[in-house]
Amino acid sequence: MKSEPDMAVEYVTQRMEKIGAISGHGNHSVSDSSLIDGDHLDRHVNAGIQGDENLKTMMEGTVMRKVKSRTWKKQRHFKLQEDCMTIWYKSKKTGHSHSTFSVSDVEAVREGHQSEVLQSIANEFPPDRCFTFVFRGRRGNLDLIAESPEEAQSWIQGMRKLIENLESMGQREKLDQWICDWFQKADKNKDGRMNFKEVKDLLKMMNIDMNEHHALRLFQMADKSESGTLEDDEFVLFYKMLTQREDVLLIFQQYSENGQKLSLMEIEDFLHEEQLEPEKSRQHALKLIECYEPSDTAKKLHAMTFDGFLMYLCSPEGSIFNPQHDVIYQDMTHPLNHYFISSSHNTYLIEDQLRGHSSVEGYIRALKRGCRCVEIDCWDGPNGEPIVYHGHTLTSKIFFRDVVHCLNNYAFRVSEYPVILSIENHCSVQQQRVMAQHLNSILGDKLLKTTLDGKLPSKLPSPEELKGKILLKGKKIGGLEDCMQEHTDDTFSGEVSDEDEAAEMDEEHLRNDILRKKGKKSKQSLSKALSDCIVYCKSVPFTSFSDALQHSKFYEISSFTESKSRKHIKEAAVDFVLHNCRQLTRVYPSGLRTDSSNFNPQEMWNLFIKLILLILVALNFQTAGLEMDLNDGRFSQNGRCGYVLKPAFMRSMDSKFDPENPAGREDYRPLTLSVQVISGQQLPKVNNKEGSIIDPLVRVEIHGVPMDQARQETKYIDNNGFNPSWNETLQFTVHVPELALVRFVVEDYDKTSKNDFVGQYTLPFTSIQQGYRHIHLLSKDGTSIPPSSLFVHIRISDLT
């Protein structure tokens, strides 16, 4: 009787032979239809350095200064590894343990004094020797100073080429690189071969808990040369045996008549019956073959092998997110108040709001994530220059002018639609004039200073009309009506608005006498020069609903803390709804969230479900977690431009929609969402402890109106983060699909403590593609973690 490992090896062997037959290459050989091959790995690694002097310089190594502050500047030896994907560095003098980072972690390279640290030492080192590596996610930047301008350019241009090569890689190249990375990690003695001990270490690194006898049999099967080591094609074969996708093979065989390839008609059948494309499309099937089929022979036959089929399912077209929503697809000509707008709170902070670091990097990161409303807390600074920081705290300070320069450089790199600059103004009249000077001189024509046509409008303009414009939100002398006339007064007295967090802290009874004293509401004089920069977003304090009913204007905006918003909804919901039908509202996290945590934005979107005017739900972008996942998910659609058109029932004055009772809506049409969680692929480790393997489970969450809030999860799989299989179906009823978000979460099950987060992906319900789909997981910071994914089958149907 065969042992379980023996049966497993026999099973894998049969599968390998099956794949060999499908791909047209028996005996485990590797042909042109294979997803990966050993020679291609070598070509890929070496192609980038052929004849490139910059990369050669990087591989030879360079001594440069690593800079953390004005006083911390230490020499480090930097070197590009042979894989052209890893930068290695260590102390030149002490030879302490080295550090590494991946080229894939670097988002961009900035030349010269383009960081606060390098600006602080600009008098010591010329800009042509300075540069900055900007990392993805929330990781801090790396500031470097080369010994010469030539060395700096070698690293600047070389790194940019490596980043460009990565971004231009096709799916096959990315997989090749990933395999090559694993080979490099496992090949401890760097001899280009892997012995069995190195293979066992590799399996643990790859999140696989495999019986040693089973692993040895796979190793021996792959070792065709019988050398006791794996190299090139042998390692590729070993990897293919590890990564057989039985789940995808079964689907392939279901639609393939001969089990070897999919004909053009069979591809059409699959797209129509499983992926629910509206009609059979020969053109689309031909396009998929051209894009994803690696075999030239199959292409000529207008057919798709298993490898091509798998590449399609792993591609953006095979993703759960509809690629048509990756571009601007919504009507952008509605008034601003008809859109959800991605908004940031305390944008200057990149840490907590008591002792955290203030930096223009906060603005750069938020704008790169599609944020369209950023906040500046302005206070009087030294030498007549306004500063930005979280008032009455120990957070560091930055100059207002540096923030404006940053906005000028980065406001429209990701989205061309308008940016709202929310100013919390605590400055004297003199320094307000300086603020106005900086805004006008630095932003120039980007700053909106008049109504679009010079006339008094009756409604807000559209994002389309405001392309490339920066709008200021803040306190203003008079209203738009007064802007049409000449004024001679240079100052104006008005009350501190409700958005003043110091005032909020006082109202929340903080036991800090200094805060309480400084936080009290007081009269403030405003500079006309700064006031004139406010057009469509005039900040006004909220006193009462009756007062607002008599005096509010469409261009006015009041700010509420999350707690005040909940209080008004609870005590005077109807009045609050009517109030927001007349003027703008901004909701921001409580000042008591000293750790810069966030409230759940879905809760606020639900609270304001009937409000047809602009609702800015502002979050601390620097803080990762569920709340930012939902925000990123909401704004992942419409080309990530930061503006998402609200559903029609939220844009109509006549809407009778009640979020607490969605069935009362005239066009009420509840849907059933069925999610079959099939399998996972190459899930990341969450514990670097030796021998640690995750026990993954998948949770699917619905975030929407109260009736739609739901979550279900699969069972956990013991000791398998490499290719776990669940095959469980979870079902949900969604009453308001237009507002629902779907979040997929993978956790490492722990029966004695809280589960560890592994990865997640959040998207709008309306952006889901049906059929067999891969979900490409994101880290806690919202960055991709390829090739980690889930494989699911999605069906959406009318509730019966």
Side-chain angles (χ1 to χ4, degrees):
M1 184 175 179
K2 295 180 180 177
S3 67
E4 285 190 13
D6 285 336
M7 288 190 290
V9 170
E10 181 179 288
Y11 174 77
V12 171
T13 304
Q14 291 171 350
R15 292 276 63 80
M16 285 301 300
E17 290 171 350
K18 190 76 175 178
I19 296 298
I22 291 172
S23 301
H25 49 79
N27 294 324
H28 313 301
S29 64
V30 181
S31 78
D32 71 322
S33 68
S34 176
L35 281 170
I36 49 177
D37 63 78
D39 290 339
H40 188 70
L41 291 183
D42 290 336
R43 289 197 304 273
H44 179 70
V45 172
N46 295 322
I49 62 171
Q50 301 259 336
D52 192 295
E53 294 301 322
N54 293 326
L55 296 185
K56 287 182 180 178
T57 298
M58 293 172 68
M59 295 185 76
E60 289 169 0
T62 307
V63 175
M64 295 184 284
R65 285 182 175 89
K66 178 182 176 183
V67 187
K68 288 186 178 181
S69 68
R70 187 178 299 174
T71 57
W72 198 102
K73 302 182 287 286
K74 297 188 179 180
Q75 286 190 324
R76 295 288 184 266
H77 184 226
F78 288 83
K79 185 176 181 180
L80 174 65
Q81 300 294 85
E82 291 183 2
D83 61 0
C84 286
M85 281 296 296
T86 308
I87 305 294
W88 170 98
Y89 65 97
K90 72 172 183 177
S91 169
K92 181 176 181 291
K93 291 182 179 180
T94 61
H96 286 164
S97 59
H98 69 272
S99 300
T100 62
F101 62 87
S102 173
V103 172
S104 62
D105 294 335
V106 181
E107 186 177 271
V109 184
R110 299 181 195 154
E111 293 188 59
H113 302 140
Q114 289 200 57
S115 75
E116 288 149 326
V117 170
L118 292 177
Q119 285 172 3
S120 70
I121 56 172
N123 293 332
E124 296 181 59
F125 301 96
D128 58 5
R129 289 171 54 194
C130 302
F131 59 97
T132 302
F133 288 158
V134 181
F135 291 98
R136 300 181 189 280
R138 294 173 174 82
R139 179 175 174 178
N141 297 339
L142 176 61
D143 293 306
L144 297 170
I145 303 171
E147 292 299 311
S148 69
E150 292 74 24
E151 284 185 350
Q153 279 301 309
S154 289
W155 278 85
I156 291 167
Q157 299 304 326
M159 182 64 81
R160 283 176 176 169
K161 176 166 185 177
L162 292 173
I163 293 172
E164 182 183 350
N165 285 348
L166 270 178
E167 291 176 347
S168 63
M169 275 186 192
Q171 188 181 343
R172 171 173 172 162
E173 286 82 8
K174 287 180 180 177
L175 180 59
D176 289 347
Q177 185 61 62
W178 191 77
I179 302 306
C180 183
D181 288 347
W182 279 120
F183 189 94
Q184 297 283 344
K185 289 176 184 177
D187 184 16
K188 296 291 177 60
N189 58 9
K190 306 303 177 188
D191 63 352
R193 302 167 179 266
M194 279 205 309
N195 57 39
F196 184 60
K197 181 182 183 306
E198 290 173 326
V199 167
K200 287 194 297 181
D201 293 339
L202 171 67
L203 293 177
K204 290 178 181 177
M205 285 191 288
M206 296 176 86
N207 235 339
I208 307 173
D209 183 21
M210 186 178 290
N211 175 282
E212 184 168 331
H213 178 61
H214 183 188
L216 179 61
R217 289 294 301 274
L218 290 182
F219 179 90
Q220 291 170 339
M221 287 169 60
D223 181 18
K224 296 298 181 183
S225 63
E226 299 182 354
S227 64
T229 61
L230 303 182
E231 55 183 314
D232 293 335
D233 284 358
E234 293 175 336
F235 176 70
V236 171
L237 175 59
F238 179 74
Y239 176 80
K240 284 179 73 70
M241 285 191 284
L242 283 176
T243 58
Q244 285 314 301
R245 291 293 301 274
E246 177 68 15
D247 48 359
V248 177
L249 180 62
L250 291 174
I251 301 165
F252 180 88
Q253 291 174 330
Q254 181 182 344
Y255 282 88
S256 172
E257 184 178 357
N258 61 9
Q260 297 184 15
K261 66 180 183 305
L262 291 173
S263 67
L264 199 57
M265 185 177 295
E266 289 167 343
I267 298 172
E268 287 183 74
D269 288 341
F270 173 77
L271 295 175
H272 181 63
E273 295 173 19
E274 293 295 349
Q275 310 300 72
L276 297 190
E277 296 201 357
E279 57 185 32
K280 292 186 179 181
S281 170
R282 182 145 296 203
Q283 255 48 51
H284 189 204
L286 286 168
K287 178 189 167 192
L288 294 182
I289 293 172
E290 182 60 33
C291 287
Y292 303 113
E293 177 50 54
S295 167
D296 291 334
T297 303
K299 281 183 179 179
K300 291 176 183 176
L301 295 173
H302 289 168
M304 182 177 274
T305 64
F306 174 77
D307 284 341
F309 184 66
L310 180 57
M311 287 184 74
Y312 152 63
L313 286 177
C314 292
S315 74
E317 285 190 85
S319 165
I320 191 172
F321 185 85
N322 187 345
Q324 294 179 4
H325 291 189
D326 240 347
V327 297
I328 306 292
Y329 70 96
Q330 295 179 341
D331 184 353
M332 303 302 289
T333 62
H334 288 261
L336 275 182
N337 50 283
H338 284 191
Y339 298 85
F340 290 118
I341 302 178
S342 180
S343 304
S344 168
H345 177 59
N346 289 346
T347 317
Y348 48 89
L349 288 176
I350 56 177
E351 296 169 12
D352 70 79
Q353 57 190 43
L354 278 185
R355 293 180 170 82
H357 185 55
S358 301
S359 171
V360 296
E361 286 297 329
Y363 293 93
I364 296 172
R365 293 175 186 179
L367 291 167
K368 283 186 173 181
R369 293 177 78 163
C371 181
R372 297 287 87 189
C373 179
V374 298
E375 185 183 37
I376 305 182
D377 289 1
C378 304
W379 301 80
D380 281 354
N383 303 317
E385 282 290 341
I387 56 174
V388 176
Y389 83 112
H390 201 243
H392 313 309
T393 68
L394 298 177
T395 58
S396 62
K397 303 171 177 65
I398 54 178
F399 284 112
F400 176 80
R401 66 167 181 261
D402 292 338
V403 174
V404 180
H405 274 297
C406 173
L407 289 170
N408 186 55
N409 291 330
Y410 289 92
F412 304 108
R413 292 197 181 185
V414 169
S415 171
E416 58 187 345
Y417 292 106
V419 170
I420 299 171
L421 179 54
S422 178
I423 294 182
E424 189 174 305
N425 178 12
H426 303 274
C427 292
S428 63
V429 171
Q430 291 77 15
Q431 294 213 10
Q432 288 179 46
R433 292 192 187 112
V434 176
M435 290 168 60
Q437 290 171 7
H438 289 325
L439 289 166
N440 282 285
S441 63
I442 297 170
L443 299 180
D445 292 340
K446 292 177 185 173
L447 180 64
L448 186 75
K449 293 187 62 179
T450 63
T451 57
L452 291 178
D453 56 5
K455 299 177 181 178
L456 184 64
S458 59
K459 63 178 182 178
L460 290 170
S462 69
E464 190 68 28
E465 293 173 302
L466 292 169
K467 272 184 179 179
K469 293 295 183 183
I470 294 176
L471 286 66
L472 256 62
K473 176 185 110 32
K475 286 166 279 188
K476 180 177 179 62
I477 301 172
L480 278 183
E481 301 85 353
D482 301 305
C483 291
M484 307 300 164
Q485 307 168 15
E486 288 294 325
H487 290 273
T488 57
D489 294 338
D490 190 48
T491 60
F492 171 79
S493 291
E495 289 189 358
V496 175
S497 80
D498 280 356
E499 68 188 301
D500 186 337
E501 286 190 36
E504 176 215 343
M505 289 180 180
D506 180 46
E507 292 171 9
E508 298 281 359
H509 307 294
L510 280 183
R511 295 180 181 178
N512 186 317
D513 292 335
I514 297 176
L515 284 181
R516 195 153 45 236
K517 181 179 178 182
K518 292 185 177 182
K520 289 181 179 179
K521 294 185 179 181
S522 61
K523 295 287 184 180
Q524 180 187 27
S525 295
L526 300 179
S527 159
K528 182 178 182 299
L530 183 60
S531 170
D532 285 346
C533 296
I534 313 291
V535 182
Y536 291 113
C537 300
K538 176 186 176 182
S539 294
V540 296
F542 176 79
T543 53
S544 69
F545 291 122
S546 59
D547 181 73
L549 179 61
Q550 292 181 345
H551 304 295
S552 65
K553 302 289 193 304
F554 74 89
Y555 54 80
E556 294 176 338
I557 178 168
S558 296
S559 292
F560 298 88
T561 64
E562 53 180 294
S563 55
K564 284 185 179 178
S565 298
R566 294 191 186 99
K567 180 181 177 182
H568 289 316
I569 286 291
K570 182 179 180 180
E571 298 178 357
V574 174
D575 289 337
F576 202 15
V577 167
L578 292 174
H579 171 77
N580 285 277
C581 286
R582 293 186 301 271
Q583 71 175 82
L584 313 178
T585 295
R586 175 177 175 265
V587 181
Y588 62 96
S590 167
L592 301 178
R593 291 181 180 270
T594 55
D595 60 352
S596 291
S597 61
N598 284 307
F599 57 81
N600 188 322
Q602 185 65 49
E603 181 183 1
M604 291 303 162
W605 290 323
N606 287 342
L607 287 177
F608 294 112
I609 211 88
K610 290 182 67 174
L611 312 184
I612 66 166
L613 288 179
L614 181 63
I615 303 299
L616 300 175
V617 178
L619 297 182
N620 292 304
F621 270 49
Q622 73 271 26
T623 307
L626 164 67
E627 297 80 14
M628 275 308 299
D629 293 345
L630 297 179
N631 196 74
D632 288 343
R634 173 71 67 199
F635 293 101
S636 63
Q637 59 188 312
N638 206 30
R640 299 181 180 272
C641 74
Y643 287 84
V644 171
L645 187 64
K646 295 176 184 176
F649 61 80
M650 292 182 69
R651 310 194 304 265
S652 170
M653 285 289 291
D654 300 325
S655 175
K656 296 189 170 45
F657 176 71
D658 180 356
E660 299 290 341
N661 181 28
R665 178 176 154 196
E666 290 181 3
D667 56 349
Y668 173 63
R669 185 193 164 200
L671 299 175
T672 296
L673 170 66
S674 177
V675 180
Q676 182 189 6
V677 182
I678 301 172
S679 63
Q681 295 76 44
Q682 287 90 56
L683 304 177
K685 295 186 70 167
V686 294
N687 188 339
N688 291 324
K689 187 176 178 181
E690 186 176 352
S692 173
I693 306 293
I694 69 170
D695 304 323
L697 62 82
V698 178
R699 184 171 63 253
V700 180
E701 304 169 352
I702 309 295
H703 297 266
V705 298
M707 286 184 68
D708 286 342
Q709 298 290 123
R711 55 170 55 191
Q712 296 180 41
E713 61 186 35
T714 67
K715 62 180 181 294
Y716 66 90
I717 305 297
D718 278 320
N719 288 334
N720 188 351
F722 188 73
N723 55 357
S725 178
W726 292 277
N727 285 309
E728 291 188 52
T729 299
L730 313 176
Q731 279 201 336
F732 303 88
T733 298
V734 182
H735 298 274
V736 187
E738 299 94 331
L739 287 166
L741 296 170
V742 183
R743 184 170 183 253
F744 296 86
V745 188
V746 181
E747 290 184 344
D748 179 14
Y749 173 77
D750 192 322
K751 62 182 178 182
T752 60
S753 62
K754 184 179 178 181
N755 294 347
D756 288 322
F757 174 90
V758 175
Q760 69 84 31
Y761 186 80
T762 307
L763 78 165
F765 183 93
T766 52
S767 295
I768 290 177
Q769 291 200 106
Q770 298 190 63
Y772 287 104
R773 303 292 175 183
H774 277 91
I775 299 170
H776 302 282
L777 296 173
L778 304 176
S779 70
K780 187 172 289 186
D781 280 340
T783 55
S784 62
I785 42 177
S788 299
S789 65
L790 298 175
F791 187 47
V792 299
H793 184 267
I794 302 289
R795 274 293 176 264
I796 298 172
S797 57
D798 289 329
L799 182 64
T800 54

